[in-house]
Amino acid sequence: LFLVLILAAGLTAISSLAYNKKNSPRLFFVSFAFFLFTIMAALRIIDNFLLGAYTYIGISISTLEFLILLSLFYALFRK
């Protein structure tokens, strides 16, 4: 899980640098999706290592997964 968090944060940084260079709306939504993926990985670490089994983080993770898919879909089909 820690490797996923590091990889997601690295992809967020790379896509943010690409967005700053090109200033494309598509790259904004791709970097936003990677940012949400980083948050989701952090929430999974918190859920697995810090909190107990009776938390509402599962709902947050499902919502983030939906937002990631929506952001990537919007980046793919935006003109």
Side-chain angles (χ1 to χ4, degrees):
L1 289 174
F2 291 106
L3 182 63
V4 172
L5 178 67
I6 292 169
L7 184 63
L11 287 173
T12 301
I14 290 170
S15 63
S16 296
L17 290 174
Y19 170 70
N20 287 336
K21 186 175 181 181
K22 294 258 185 175
N23 206 11
S24 169
R26 287 182 175 193
L27 283 175
F28 172 76
F29 286 106
V30 169
S31 65
F32 183 66
F34 283 135
F35 175 71
L36 291 176
F37 194 72
T38 304
I39 291 173
M40 187 179 68
L43 283 176
R44 287 184 190 227
I45 289 173
I46 290 170
D47 187 34
N48 284 338
F49 294 113
L50 299 177
L51 298 177
Y54 298 105
T55 62
Y56 294 104
I57 281 190
I59 297 169
S60 305
I61 290 173
S62 297
T63 304
L64 283 173
E65 287 175 349
F66 174 72
L67 289 174
I68 289 168
L69 288 174
L70 190 66
S71 179
L72 290 175
F73 178 79
Y74 192 70
L76 186 63
F77 291 109
R78 183 179 168 111
K79 291 188 179 188

